[in-house]
């Protein structure tokens, strides 16, 4: 079974540009999560999809971030326009259930560098 | 609110040394506790978990016990190997389980 995949693995863009990150969850996982780790700090929750619906987007930092999950399969996270403080590693995760005892399966992350 | 405080790194140990990475938490209700590991160039992988007080999670020689009285979930291994070099994250999920709360991560390097 394929794991969670993310594309690209690394992106370097200039301040003011737009970047779109993609996540493909494990097949059959209705729950999809985005997280971000800024340099040396904790991994922080951004948002949670159940199928194509946003269940919780309380962690989204501002309206420059837009997440979508059309059709309830893969998801994209767009940053427009990018700022220096957006640099970090963006992780995607998926799970079958939202019960707290269930693990989430994480992708390898996309390292975003804004210069 | 929910939060995780994790031992600062980096940690460097010689092969076969004893490892402890401290983790304490603050949570509402009854959280589940996890340790995730990120090996170089890879994604986060679940290492072990415990879902209620006094439970012990174990995997690959690593252990952690859910201590409600001290709100801790310290990671231990009796004899580390070079292949254990990685970043270790302590995390919790709340009752609703909608999101993980992670610590800052502890980088471990094991030298031969």
């Amino acid at each position: 079974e394929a794991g969670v995949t993310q594309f690209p693995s690394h992106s370097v863009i200039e301040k003011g540009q737009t970047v779109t990150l993609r996540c493909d969850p494990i097949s059959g996982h209705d729950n999809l999560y985005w997280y971000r780790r800024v340099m040396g700090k904790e991994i922080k929750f951004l948002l949670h999809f159940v199928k194509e619906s946003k269940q919780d987007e309380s962690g989204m930092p501002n309206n420059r971030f837009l997440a979508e999950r059309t059709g309830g399969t893969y998801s994209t996270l767009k940053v427009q326009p990018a700022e220096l403080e957006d640099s970090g590693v963006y992780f995607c995760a998926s799970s079958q259930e939202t019960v707290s005892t269930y693990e989430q399966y994480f992708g390898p992350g996309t390292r975003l560098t804004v210069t | 609110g929910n939060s995780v405080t994790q031992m600062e790194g980096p940690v460097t140990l010689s092969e076969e040394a004893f490892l402890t990475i401290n983790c304490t938490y603050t949570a509402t209700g009854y959280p589940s506790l996890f340790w995730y590991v990120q090996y170089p160039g890879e994604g986060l992988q679940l290492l072990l978990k415990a879902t209620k007080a006094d439970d012990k999670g174990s995997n690959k020689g690593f252990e952690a016990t859910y201590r409600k009285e001290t709100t801790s979930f310290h990671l231990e291994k009796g004899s580390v190997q070079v292949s254990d070099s990685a970043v270790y994250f302590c995390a919790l999920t709340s009752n609703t389980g909608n999101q993980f709360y992670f610590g800052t991560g502890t980088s471990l390097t094991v030298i031969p």
Side-chain angles (χ1 to χ4, degrees):
Chain A
E1 178 184 278
V4 177
T5 57
Q6 293 187 245
F7 182 83
S9 58
H10 192 183
S11 179
V12 181
I13 61 172
E14 293 183 353
K15 177 182 171 179
Q17 290 186 321
T18 297
V19 63
T20 300
L21 313 181
R22 173 172 169 143
C23 168
D24 287 77
I26 292 173
S27 178
H29 282 193
D30 288 339
N31 297 280
L32 187 149
Y33 307 80
W34 282 99
Y35 293 84
R36 176 174 73 171
R37 187 185 190 206
V38 174
M39 176 79 79
K41 298 194 175 179
E42 68 269 27
I43 300 171
K44 281 196 171 179
F45 168 81
L46 296 178
L47 87 159
H48 169 209
F49 283 100
V50 178
K51 297 185 181 178
E52 67 275 9
S53 299
K54 292 176 185 174
Q55 179 77 10
D56 180 356
E57 50 184 331
S58 61
M60 294 287 265
N62 52 62
N63 59 11
R64 295 185 293 103
F65 288 75
L66 175 64
E68 295 181 321
R69 193 182 182 195
T70 307
T73 54
Y74 71 90
S75 174
T76 57
L77 180 65
K78 181 190 286 188
V79 185
Q80 179 183 29
E83 298 289 344
L84 297 178
E85 64 265 24
D86 301 332
S87 295
V89 181
Y90 290 76
F91 292 100
C92 176
S94 71
S95 70
Q96 286 183 303
E97 303 283 348
T98 57
V99 177
S100 62
T101 56
Y102 275 74
E103 70 176 284
Q104 294 177 12
Y105 295 84
F106 283 78
T110 293
R111 181 174 296 277
L112 174 64
T113 303
V114 182
T115 62
Chain B
N2 299 309
S3 67
V4 174
T5 301
Q6 191 174 337
M7 183 173 121
E8 294 279 337
V11 174
T12 302
L13 294 175
S14 297
E15 206 165 22
E16 298 183 4
F18 184 85
L19 169 71
T20 298
I21 301 178
N22 289 337
C23 172
T24 57
Y25 67 90
T26 302
T28 53
Y30 302 95
S32 293
L33 302 175
F34 301 77
W35 277 99
Y36 275 82
V37 59
Q38 185 178 25
Y39 297 103
E42 299 183 16
L44 293 164
Q45 301 173 25
L46 177 67
L47 181 59
L48 52 84
K49 70 177 183 180
T51 59
K52 61 182 188 295
D54 300 325
D55 267 3
K56 178 187 284 187
S58 61
N59 185 28
K60 298 182 181 179
F62 291 88
E63 293 183 340
T65 301
Y66 188 141
R67 301 282 188 204
K68 188 164 182 275
E69 63 275 14
T70 54
T71 62
S72 65
F73 194 54
H74 304 321
L75 182 68
E76 296 182 336
K77 186 174 185 182
S79 176
V80 293
Q81 305 301 311
V82 173
S83 56
D84 294 327
S85 298
V87 181
Y88 293 82
F89 293 91
C90 185
L92 68 83
T93 56
S94 64
N95 287 357
T96 58
N98 283 341
Q99 61 173 281
F100 273 78
Y101 297 84
F102 284 91
T104 53
T106 301
S107 175
L108 170 67
T109 300
V110 180
I111 55 177

